[in-house]
């Protein structure tokens, strides 16, 4: 039980460390700001398209349009929706100009989706190939999907509102408290709005990452993002009064609050995307941290934390890849075919190459040079004390070097030292 508790605590610490490290390395705080600003360019165009579909194509009931205007009252200074709707209703026939206008609006709205995609590429960049045409097609498909889902949910909201006005419901309303009667329609609308956000986030994680994460994982992280954003919106509505901001920003007060909300949303969106990446590739990420483990004499605080968290790779260890050696046992000899590199879990190992002897203690990797060169081993590794050694397959190690630039740089430095030891005395 104690070992399992240690494993869970160790994994949690590693998980949090990886999230914070990649959040900083990928510069996601700047990317969240870029997404928030891009959203401002896309927000009004998307609203225009949704209104155009409702008014010109579906011929929505005026009460539905009125409810939309009421719901967006706090941002009415940003865009005169009533004037736009009046203009749409004066023309009853769709023409080429309308389709060109829709295409132009879609092109304007793509900025937000492009920024989201760039943010996801920063997170999944080791796993994504550059495909510009596919990226553009995915952006447009994302826009169209979001618009269609928005229209469906708006119609669903209107249907729910009409349901509460049905004669059967009005007849039996005496059985419900007045507070509940007033709260139910508002709750249904709020639920529908955040359902749209949840669906959009899930689709973004599942398709835009292009690493084929499990749908259940995408839904879990999308739910976490949506719930966190819901809490933030409650906080902003309770503590951020638009009228107070009017003193500072004037007519831009609603815009500034919207910008703050969107920055928090995209921060949560990118953090949850980072969580998906870490869960998907946790083993390889931990392996990379093992190989890049700081030396014992490195006394920087971050280096000490890193050694404490990763020096015992409990999750990667099993009966198939961990071997126990007694003092004096040979781990590999000259002429052996390299199939694995090694990591010292406990104890000390001596490496002898052309009379050069070095010592590898707990937290040290060795034997990777022959795996990289794909040649027979030159030298011998022996257990100086009783020790446990974890084997890392050569194929797994090569994948690590392809995906981790810092690991590749360290391996190249070790390879240079290795070649100097092997061939340096012969020239």
């Amino acid at each position: 039980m104690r070992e399992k508790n240690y494993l869970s605590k160790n994994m949690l610490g590693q998980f949090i460390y990886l999230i914070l490290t990649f959040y900083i390395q990928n510069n996601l705080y700047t990317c969240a700001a870029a997404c928030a600003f891009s959203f401002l360019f896309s927000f009004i165009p998307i609203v225009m398209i949704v209104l155009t579909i409702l008014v010109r194509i579906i011929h929505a009931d005026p009460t539905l349009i009125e409810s939309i205007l009421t719901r967006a009252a706090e941002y009415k200074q940003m865009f005169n929706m009533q004037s736009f709707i009046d203009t749409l209703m004066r023309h009853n026939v769709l023409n080429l100009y309308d389709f060109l206008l829709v295409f132009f609006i879609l092109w304007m709205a793509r900025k937000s989706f492009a920024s989201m995609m760039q943010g996801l590429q920063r997170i999944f960049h080791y796993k994504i190939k550059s495909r510009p045409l596919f990226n553009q097609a995915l952006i447009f498909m994302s826009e169209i999907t979001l618009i269609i889902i928005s229209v469906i949910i708006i119609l669903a909201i209107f249907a729910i509102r009409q349901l509460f006005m049905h004669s059967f419901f009005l007849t039996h309303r005496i059985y419900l408290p007045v507070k509940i009667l007033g709260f139910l329609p508002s709750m249904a609308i709020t639920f529908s709005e955040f359902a749209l956000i949840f669906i959009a986030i899930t689709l973004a994680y599942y398709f835009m990452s292009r690493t084929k994460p499990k749908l259940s994982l995408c839904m879990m992280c999308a739910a976490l993002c949506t719930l966190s954003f819901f809490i933030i919106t409650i906080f902003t509505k309770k503590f951020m009064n638009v009228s107070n901001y009017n003193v500072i920003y004037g007519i831009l007060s609603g815009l500034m609050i919207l910008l703050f909300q969107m920055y928090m949303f995209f921060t949560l969106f990118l953090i949850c995307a980072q969580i998906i990446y870490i869960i998907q590739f946790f083993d390889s990420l931990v392996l990379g941290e093992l190989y890049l483990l700081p030396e014992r004499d490195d006394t920087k605080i971050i280096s000490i934390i890193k050694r404490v968290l990763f020096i015992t790779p409990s999750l990667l260890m099993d009966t198939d890849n961990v071997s126990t050696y007694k003092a004096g046992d040979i781990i590999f000899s000259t002429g052996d075919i390299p199939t694995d590199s090694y990591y010292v879990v406990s104890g000390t190992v001596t490496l002898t190459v052309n009379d050069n002897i070095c010592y590898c203690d707990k937290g040290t990797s060795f034997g990777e040079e022959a795996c990289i060169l794909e040649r027979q081993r030159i030298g011998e590794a022996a257990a100086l004390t009783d020790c446990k050694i974890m084997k890392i397959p050569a194929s797994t190690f090569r994948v690590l070097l392809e995906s981790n630039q810092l690991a590749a740089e360290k391996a190249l430095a070790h390879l240079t030292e290795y070649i100097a030891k092997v061939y340096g005395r012969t020239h």
Side-chain angles (χ1 to χ4, degrees):
M1 179 65 70
R2 183 179 299 174
E3 183 178 351
K4 288 185 177 180
N5 290 337
Y6 172 76
L7 178 59
S8 61
K9 291 179 181 178
N10 196 35
M11 283 183 59
L12 179 61
Q14 293 171 353
F15 192 73
I16 294 173
Y17 174 87
L18 290 172
I19 291 175
L20 295 175
T21 301
F22 281 108
Y23 184 80
I24 296 171
Q25 286 181 0
N26 293 328
N27 203 17
L28 295 185
Y29 45 89
T30 302
C31 190
C35 289
F37 279 106
S38 298
F39 177 83
L40 296 180
F41 288 96
S42 303
F43 175 70
I44 293 176
I46 289 176
V47 170
M48 291 171 67
I49 293 176
V50 171
L51 290 175
T52 301
I53 293 173
L54 290 172
V55 175
R56 298 294 298 275
I57 299 176
I58 301 178
H59 303 292
D61 190 280
T63 56
L64 173 59
I65 306 300
E66 187 65 30
S67 65
I68 296 173
L69 296 177
T70 303
R71 198 69 180 171
E74 57 186 308
Y75 305 119
K76 63 183 179 181
Q77 293 174 331
M78 296 170 52
F79 170 52
N80 192 341
M81 284 192 287
Q82 186 62 61
S83 176
F84 180 72
I85 292 171
D86 293 340
T87 303
L88 288 174
M89 296 184 73
R90 283 197 295 267
H91 303 279
N92 297 321
V93 181
L94 289 172
N95 51 42
L96 179 61
Y97 172 79
D98 292 319
F99 289 106
L100 291 176
L101 180 62
V102 169
F103 177 80
F104 176 72
I105 293 174
L106 279 171
W107 184 261
M108 290 172 60
R110 64 182 292 278
K111 183 64 177 176
S112 179
F113 292 94
S115 297
M116 288 171 58
M117 211 164 192
Q118 289 171 3
L120 292 175
Q121 284 182 345
R122 287 192 181 189
I123 295 170
F124 296 93
H125 61 284
Y126 292 131
K127 309 296 178 182
I128 291 180
K129 296 181 180 179
S130 178
R131 293 184 288 179
L133 292 177
F134 179 83
N135 291 348
Q136 295 301 320
L138 188 58
I139 289 171
F140 278 107
M141 288 301 299
S142 300
E143 288 182 86
I144 294 170
T145 302
L146 178 61
I147 290 167
I148 293 173
I149 294 175
S150 300
V151 172
I152 292 173
I153 288 184
I154 289 172
L155 294 175
I157 291 172
F158 180 72
I160 292 171
R161 178 169 292 184
Q162 291 299 105
L163 176 64
F164 284 106
M165 300 302 296
H166 192 271
S167 58
F168 175 82
F169 187 83
L170 293 175
T171 304
H172 295 80
R173 63 187 301 173
I174 56 175
Y175 299 106
L176 291 173
V178 176
K179 288 185 178 180
I180 295 180
L181 269 176
F183 180 68
L184 284 176
S186 177
M187 181 179 67
I189 293 173
T190 301
F191 175 80
S192 300
E193 290 173 346
F194 282 91
L196 171 61
I197 294 174
F198 169 76
I199 294 171
I201 295 173
T202 302
L203 294 175
Y205 288 158
Y206 189 72
F207 291 105
M208 288 188 177
S209 64
R210 278 183 269 160
T211 57
K212 298 181 180 179
K214 293 181 179 179
L215 182 59
S216 58
L217 175 60
C218 295
M219 294 177 67
M220 179 188 71
C221 290
L224 175 63
C225 180
T226 305
L227 179 61
S228 301
F229 182 59
F230 174 71
I231 295 172
I232 288 175
T233 55
I234 293 176
F235 172 83
T236 54
K237 287 181 179 179
K238 187 173 183 179
F239 296 101
M240 298 181 70
N241 193 329
V242 176
S243 60
N244 293 335
Y245 279 77
N246 285 337
V247 178
I248 303 174
Y249 298 111
I251 63 172
L252 296 178
S253 56
L255 180 66
M256 298 305 297
I257 293 178
L258 177 63
L259 182 62
F260 170 77
Q261 289 177 335
M262 288 304 100
Y263 177 74
M264 296 306 299
F265 169 76
F266 284 111
T267 298
L268 294 169
F269 174 81
L270 294 173
I271 289 176
C272 290
Q274 189 71 79
I275 290 173
I276 291 176
Y277 177 81
I278 291 172
I279 292 176
Q280 270 193 286
F281 307 105
F282 188 75
D283 288 0
S284 61
L285 293 175
V286 171
L287 183 60
E289 296 299 332
L290 282 182
Y291 189 65
L292 296 170
L293 206 64
E295 300 293 336
R296 182 179 295 177
D297 57 357
D298 190 342
T299 56
K300 296 178 182 177
I301 295 178
I302 189 66
S303 299
I304 294 173
I305 293 174
K306 190 173 180 179
R307 280 187 65 86
V308 170
L309 289 175
F310 292 97
I311 196 168
T312 304
S314 305
L315 186 66
L316 303 181
M317 296 168 55
D318 55 46
T319 54
D320 295 329
N321 66 355
V322 175
S323 301
T324 301
Y325 295 88
K326 299 291 185 180
D329 288 351
I330 303 300
I331 300 171
F332 62 74
S333 303
T334 301
D336 288 351
I337 303 297
T339 57
D340 307 285
S341 62
Y342 301 90
Y343 176 83
V344 182
V345 178
S346 63
T348 304
V349 174
T350 58
L351 294 178
T352 305
V353 179
N354 286 353
D355 298 327
N356 292 301
I357 301 175
C358 64
Y359 300 90
C360 301
D361 57 5
K362 181 179 180 179
T364 306
S365 299
F366 67 93
E368 70 270 22
E369 298 87 357
C371 292
I372 298 172
L373 296 173
E374 297 183 348
R375 294 183 179 180
Q376 294 179 346
R377 296 197 182 274
I378 300 175
E380 181 181 88
L384 182 64
T385 64
D386 293 350
C387 56
K388 284 185 177 181
I389 305 296
M390 184 176 73
K391 298 178 181 180
I392 303 169
S395 58
T396 303
F397 186 77
R398 294 191 196 99
V399 171
L400 171 65
L401 299 186
E402 292 175 1
S403 62
N404 191 319
Q405 182 180 352
L406 294 176
E409 291 174 357
K410 180 176 180 179
L412 181 61
H414 281 192
L415 191 60
T416 303
E417 295 175 4
Y418 175 80
I419 292 174
K421 291 178 182 178
V422 173
Y423 302 105
R425 294 177 181 271
T426 61
H427 292 281

